[in-house]
Amino acid sequence: MSDQRAIIHGRRRRGAAGPRGLGFAGTHDQPRIATVTDAARARLALLAVTLGARTPLLYYGDEAGLRAGPEAEDAATRAFEDSWPDRQPMTWDESAWDATTRALVRDALALRASRDVLRHGDEELRADGACVVLRRHRGDELVDVVLHRGDVAAELALPHDTGARVLLAAGGARLEGDLVHLPPDSAIVLDRTPPAAPHVAALRARNAELATHAFVEGAVDLPSYPRRLNVTITEACNLRCLHCITDAPARTREGRARTAPPWLLTALADAFAHAEHVAFTHGGESLASPVLFDTLRAIDRARRAHATAPAHRLDIHLATNGMLLDGERLRALVELGVTSLMVSVDGATPATNDRIRVLGDLHRVLDHVAGAIAFRERTGADLRVGISTVLGRANVRELAALGRTCASLGVDWLKVEETYPVNGFARGDALAPDARDVADAMAALRDALAGAPLVVVDHLASPASCTCSGDAGTLAFRAADDFAHRAHFRPCRAAWEAAAVDPDGTVHLVDHAGPALGNLLDAPFLDLWNAPAATATRTAALAASPRDQRLHCVTQDARRVSGQ
C-alpha cells in the first residue's frame, strides 16, 4: 500500500473516531499523570494530549501539576484503577501550583486554537528510540510535535532549506539552523509547512487562461482547475418543502442526510484556491449546518495560502430558505466572502408559501430579506440579494403580488423557476411553461414591475444554447441569470470550467447531475477532474464544436463581458 493510500485510509478511520474521540493523560478512574511520573515527563504527556488529533480532555488540576501525596506515590504497588488518592479536591493556593506546567498547557491550548491543522488535521505517529514525533498535517500545512523522553540529550537533523519555524518549546529544546537540540525530557513544536513552488503559483495565476486555451485548442486533459464549483455541504434541511427536488425532507427525517466531513475541506483546498465562483445551491439548507462557516473559512485560507498577484475575484453564491438568515449570520457570511444570496419564497401570502414550504414562516423570511438589504445599505457590503420562486398551480395567481413585494423590499432580482415533477405533490402542481395561466402570470408580473430596477430571470423554459449562438432569447436569459448568480455560465465550455462536489467527496463534471468522476478519498482533485468520464465528455463536446466555433465563443464572450 502506498503512503498516499495509507493516509487516505487514515482519513476514513479518523472520520469515524479521531477528532470525535477524547485524548487524555488521566481521568478520575486512574492515577494522575504527575503521580506516576515526574513533572517533566508529565508535561510531555500533556503536550501530546493538547496537540493531538483527538479532542483534549484535561483532568482538573493536571494543568497545575496536581498529584497524590507521598503515601500513594509507589506506582509499582498500585493497581491501574487505584485512583482514590488522586481524587483529592483542587487546591486554589496558586503558590502550590506547578507554574511551568500550567504555562505550557495554556500555550499549547492557545496554539491549538490558532491553527486549523492542530484542530482538524490528520495525525501520524513516528518513534525512534526515546524520540517521538507526532505529525499533524492538513492540506499544505504540516506541524511536527517532537517529544524527547530520554535521559540523555539528543539531536534531530532536518532536511536543508525547509524553513522550519518554532511554535512552542519546553525543557530547553531549541532549533539552530537545520538541527533540533533536545535535552532530556524536552519537547519542541515546529511549523514545517513547505513554501509553495514558484511554478505552482504561476499556474494558479493563469488558471482561467489555461482553461480557455485548452477549450479552444481541443485539449481534454487539463492542467487547470474548474473556474466554478458547486459544493453541497449538507443534505439536511430545517424545512419540509412539498416540492423538494433533492429529497431533503425524507433524508433528514430518516437520518440519511450526509454532511461534509473535515477532511473534504482539506481535499478541496487547491480547487478552492483556483475557483472564481463557488455556489451552495444543492442539497439541504446550508445555514442549518455549522459546516458552512467552516467551509467559508477553508476557502479563505486556501486563497490566502495560494495567493497570486493580482488575486482573481471570487464570488460566493448561497441559496437559502431564509429562516436562519438573521443579522448575526448575515454579517458572518459577508465577512467570510459571500457576495450573492438567493432566498426561496413560494407565495406572496403566508397561507400559500407556508403550506408549500412546510415549517416555513413567510413573515420571518421577508423580515430577514429586508434586514439583508438594510445591512447592505448601511455597510456598503458587496452583496447581491434575490428571491427565487417555484411556479405551480398553488401560487401562480400570486406571482405579480410577489413581484411587488420584491420591488418594495429592494431586492436585485426575482427568479421564476419551473416545478420538477419529482413526487406526487410536484406532479399535481406542475404547470407547462406555455400554459395559459403561466403566460398570464408572467405578463402580470412584468406589468407590476414596469419601471422598477429589478431583474426578472425567466427560468421556466431556459435555453440550453450558449451566448455565442447570438440568439436574442439566449442572450437575454444568460444576462439575467448571470446577474442573479454573479457568474458567467457558458454551456459550450462547461466541461472545461465547472464541477460539483457531493458531501461524501464525490466529484461530478459540470453539475450534480453530471457524470461522477470519482471520490476525493481515493485521488486528488486534479486527477478526478481528468478522469476518463471527464475526458470522454469533453471529447464528445469537441466533436460537435469545430475549433473556429470554439474560438468564436471565446472572443465573442470576451467582447460582451468587457462591454458590461
Side-chain angles (χ1 to χ4, degrees):
M1 179 180 292
S2 69
D3 290 342
Q4 180 184 8
R5 193 73 177 176
I7 292 171
I8 285 171
H9 279 275
R11 287 184 192 148
R12 193 184 298 272
R13 289 193 299 272
R14 193 195 68 189
R20 301 178 190 174
L22 296 175
F24 51 84
T27 71
H28 71 284
D29 288 324
Q30 62 195 73
R32 290 180 180 276
I33 186 67
T35 298
V36 298
T37 189
D38 59 43
R41 291 194 178 175
R43 292 178 197 126
L44 299 188
L46 293 171
L47 199 60
V49 166
T50 52
L51 298 182
R54 290 170 174 77
T55 301
L57 173 67
L58 295 178
Y59 188 30
Y60 73 91
D62 279 1
E63 78 287 353
L66 194 63
R67 61 202 302 269
E71 70 282 358
E73 289 183 2
D74 187 359
T77 64
R78 293 181 65 184
F80 177 75
E81 293 186 349
D82 182 10
S83 61
W84 187 253
D86 289 272
R87 295 185 182 182
Q88 73 269 46
M90 177 69 184
T91 176
W92 298 110
D93 178 6
E94 294 191 25
S95 65
W97 292 354
D98 182 340
T100 302
T101 297
R102 187 166 183 263
L104 179 65
V105 171
R106 286 172 63 93
D107 290 345
L109 290 174
L111 180 60
R112 182 186 185 95
S114 69
R115 297 297 295 266
D116 184 73
V117 64
L118 294 175
R119 296 194 307 276
H120 301 301
D122 289 295
E123 176 185 287
E124 295 178 57
L125 191 64
R126 304 178 182 184
D128 183 6
C131 190
V132 177
V133 178
L134 191 71
R135 171 160 289 181
R136 305 298 309 280
H137 52 89
R138 190 177 194 202
D140 292 335
E141 287 190 276
L142 176 63
V143 171
D144 279 346
V145 182
V146 183
L147 308 169
H148 179 50
R149 53 185 177 162
D151 295 322
V152 296
E155 292 182 341
L156 177 65
L158 302 178
H160 293 297
D161 303 321
T162 60
R165 182 167 62 92
V166 178
L167 300 177
L168 186 65
R174 67 189 190 279
L175 174 65
E176 293 182 355
D178 297 323
L179 195 63
V180 179
H181 299 274
L182 298 163
D185 299 327
S186 65
I188 193 166
V189 183
L190 301 172
D191 184 345
R192 297 188 60 189
T193 303
H199 72 280
V200 174
L203 285 174
R204 291 188 179 112
R206 299 180 56 222
N207 188 70
E209 176 188 341
L210 290 170
T212 301
H213 179 77
F215 168 69
V216 172
E217 297 303 326
V220 296
D221 195 339
L222 310 182
S224 57
Y225 284 79
R227 301 172 68 178
R228 299 193 308 277
L229 284 175
N230 194 323
V231 181
T232 297
I233 56 169
T234 183
E235 294 172 334
C237 190
N238 55 335
L239 300 190
R240 303 292 183 266
C241 300
L242 299 178
H243 54 12
C244 181
I245 64 172
T246 64
D247 202 27
R251 290 176 185 269
T252 305
R253 182 178 61 253
E254 297 166 8
R256 295 185 289 112
R258 300 172 297 180
T259 294
W263 68 260
L264 180 57
L265 305 186
T266 301
L268 286 171
D270 275 333
F272 284 152
H274 290 81
E276 299 165 38
H277 187 265
V278 178
F280 302 93
T281 58
H282 192 75
E285 171 55 42
S286 297
L287 278 175
S289 171
V291 174
L292 172 63
F293 294 98
D294 289 340
T295 306
L296 295 174
R297 284 187 283 267
I299 294 171
D300 182 64
R301 281 195 307 272
R303 285 172 60 78
R304 291 176 184 272
H306 306 312
T308 57
H312 61 264
R313 177 181 172 87
L314 170 67
D315 282 294
I316 299 178
H317 178 70
L318 172 68
T320 174
N321 59 44
M323 290 290 290
L324 301 175
L325 190 63
D326 57 25
E328 182 178 349
R329 288 187 181 90
L330 176 69
R331 180 178 293 277
L333 291 173
V334 172
E335 289 176 351
L336 289 170
V338 172
T339 61
S340 178
L341 286 173
M342 180 175 78
V343 182
S344 295
V345 174
D346 288 326
T349 63
T352 299
N353 179 83
D354 300 354
R355 184 174 70 85
I356 298 171
R357 307 187 67 78
V358 178
L359 302 181
D361 182 339
L362 180 61
H363 290 311
R364 179 178 178 179
V365 171
L366 294 182
D367 282 347
H368 287 165
V369 172
I373 300 300
F375 174 84
R376 180 178 67 183
E377 293 177 352
R378 185 172 65 252
T379 63
D382 181 14
L383 180 68
R384 197 168 288 171
V385 182
I387 285 179
S388 173
T389 188
V390 177
L391 199 65
R393 299 179 191 279
N395 62 11
V396 65
R397 290 178 175 81
E398 295 186 7
L399 184 59
L402 178 59
R404 286 189 289 270
T405 297
C406 291
S408 66
L409 287 170
V411 301
D412 301 299
W413 51 269
L414 170 62
K415 186 174 186 178
V416 185
E417 300 196 64
E418 70 278 31
T419 297
Y420 284 90
V422 292
N423 56 33
F425 171 83
R427 286 190 294 271
D429 193 57
L431 286 169
D434 59 354
R436 179 61 181 270
D437 285 349
V438 172
D440 290 346
M442 291 300 293
L445 173 65
R446 292 191 170 91
D447 287 344
L449 297 178
L454 188 148
V455 174
V456 175
V457 186
D458 182 353
H459 206 279
L460 295 170
S462 55
S465 55
C466 188
T467 54
C468 61
S469 68
D471 174 72
T474 297
L475 292 174
F477 170 76
R478 283 267 57 94
D481 197 57
D482 288 354
F483 176 84
H485 290 88
R486 301 199 81 160
H488 294 287
F489 296 106
R490 302 297 175 257
C492 281
R493 289 176 265 166
W496 282 259
E497 296 187 342
V501 184
D502 292 338
D504 68 348
T506 299
V507 177
H508 297 264
L509 190 66
V510 182
D511 56 32
H512 290 282
L517 308 181
N519 195 288
L520 288 164
L521 270 175
D522 302 316
F525 193 100
L526 199 58
D527 288 355
L528 299 181
W529 183 231
N530 289 300
T535 57
T537 301
R538 293 179 191 127
T539 300
L542 292 174
S545 176
R547 184 185 184 281
D548 288 347
Q549 182 177 328
R550 300 195 298 271
L551 181 60
H552 172 74
C553 180
V554 170
T555 55
Q556 288 295 104
D557 189 56
R559 292 171 186 165
R560 190 172 295 111
V561 171
S562 65
Q564 291 177 351

